[in-house]
Amino acid sequence: MGRQTSTIVEQSLRVLMENNSILPQLAGNRREQVFQSLGAILSTPNKTHKAFLRITLDSGEVVRIPAYRIQHNDALGPYKGGIRFHESVNEDEVTNLAALMTLKNALHDVPFGGGKGGVCINPRQYSERELYMICKKYVQYFTGILGPDKDIPAPDMGTGEREMDWMTAEYKSVHPGQPYLGCFTGKSIAFGGSLGRKEATGRGVYFVFKYLLNHYVNKHLSLLDAYHNPYVTTAKRYINRPLTIAIQGFGNVGSVIASEAFKDLEAGHKVVAVSDRNVTLYNEQGLPIDKLFVFSQSHQGELPTNEQQLQTAGVQAEILDREAVLYADVDTLFLAALEEQIHQHNVANVKAGIIVEGANAPITGEADEALAQRNAIVIPDILANAGGVIVSYFEWLQGKDTRFFSEEHVYELLYEKMQTTLDQVLPLYFEQPQQLRQCCFNHAVMRLSNILYRQGKLY
Ligand code: NAD
């Protein structure tokens, strides 16, 4: 488990141990022993699987590529978590992401455990045939541990429905005659995917942001005022008015957040900055996200990087360096690119009062502390970006049943589930001044403590 995650989990364990309404049947040394046991379980994965995938490149050269599947915990159900193709993939990173999945599924009451996979490659440097072979080999090497009731991977950074379809097809041929639709999620619609899955994470992120401010704070304003909580004061600065928005990352998650904000005419928010691996585009009047989306679709997911491309896209914007998005003078900053983007060396330059984690772990522990000190509202990854895994759960259900939901029904179910979680954690956040991330972890660890105790695992 990464340092930040383990520090928060340790704090949750302390809080829960002192709260006698959690596992009330336990007291004294026995209580301490049970919580120590819970800490040991959560801080280590159940199983770590590593393989070197042997691939023949198009050049004829044979290479062996490091690949991982980390199964963190399955107390709540089969392991579940994406497979990442990125050159920075390593065992520690995948283990940390697997632990986050255990906690995320527990928080949102999704009946899955936590897992994660990774292959240490830059997928942009491989041909389609080579990527196909990598996907096939991944399934062959890990075939014994994967399956609809064992461990169900999904896309993550560098992978998408194409890779999930290839992997599902390989699983199907390795396990003839067995059910296979529930073995991977994030598949194409044609091959048993769920309507709405692709946009689920981005739409879920925007829903959480909007629900917190417009529905929760607005609805409970007189009650919240009585708490004299600095986060309530911050929230009040951002309700009932159009906000300016900056978004880091214009991929699957970022572009959908941008489109949701752009289409939200009732709120009247303005997306003034978006960025990707190359540039930040800025326009204080607001960017035409629809045009940028169309451009990126026909330019390998990338934003315009020069005046000529801006003209082609029909967009007026200043072209700034890719980090500029983080320091834009905006009300809200969505982080939807990668890890550790706001850290102790740049946090002082971040001006947004609300920061939403669409990506996993984009804010380091030190930066998180600094943002808390200035009472910024940070909506954490574990809460905000769970739309993907929640709709993956619906895809898994549909695959098992071979009966498929309409897109409308998928979003109805998604928002209902996210709202249930928000209604559980937001009162904790606004009643006493503590970070929303900590409230979410407390809630997830509480759920895990109950189930692990009932399963007889905490001795
Ligand atoms: P993606 O690959 O589709 O998009 C990533 C975006 O980040 C791209 O626009 C890319 O250009 C940009 N980017 C890459 N390097 C950058 C850099 N150094 N600086 C600025 N921008 C950079 O990925 P995605 O699926 O949108 O995922 C984004 C994040 O959200 C990842 O952390 C992922 O783990 C997390 N996440 C994704 C999902 C999902 O369903 N896709 C679910 C949960 C969490």
Side-chain angles (χ1 to χ4, degrees), residues 84 104 156-158 197 201 248-254 275-277 301 322 336-338 341 358-360 385 388:
R84 175 174 289 199
K104 195 180 290 180
D156 194 75
M157 222 188 281
R197 166 64 183 85
T201 303
Q248 186 195 37
F250 203 73
N252 186 19
V253 181
S275 77
D276 69 1
R277 74 183 74 245
R322 74 178 182 193
L338 59 174
Q341 294 305 291
N360 287 315
N385 74 15

Side-chain angles (χ1 to χ4, degrees), residues 345-363:
H345 303 297
N346 69 359
V347 65
N349 302 328
V350 174
K351 299 184 189 75
I354 301 181
I355 299 158
V356 192
E357 294 186 329
N360 287 315
I363 303 177

Side-chain angles (χ1 to χ4, degrees), residues 391-422:
V391 175
S392 274
Y393 163 50
F394 303 148
E395 179 177 338
W396 178 78
L397 285 176
Q398 293 169 77
K400 288 203 133 203
D401 212 19
T402 53
R403 277 198 300 177
F404 293 88
F405 304 160
S406 69
E407 185 169 323
E408 199 185 357
H409 188 49
V410 167
Y411 284 118
E412 217 175 279
L413 294 173
L414 170 66
Y415 296 152
E416 191 183 298
K417 203 147 189 52
M418 294 194 106
Q419 183 177 336
T420 303
T421 307
L422 284 158

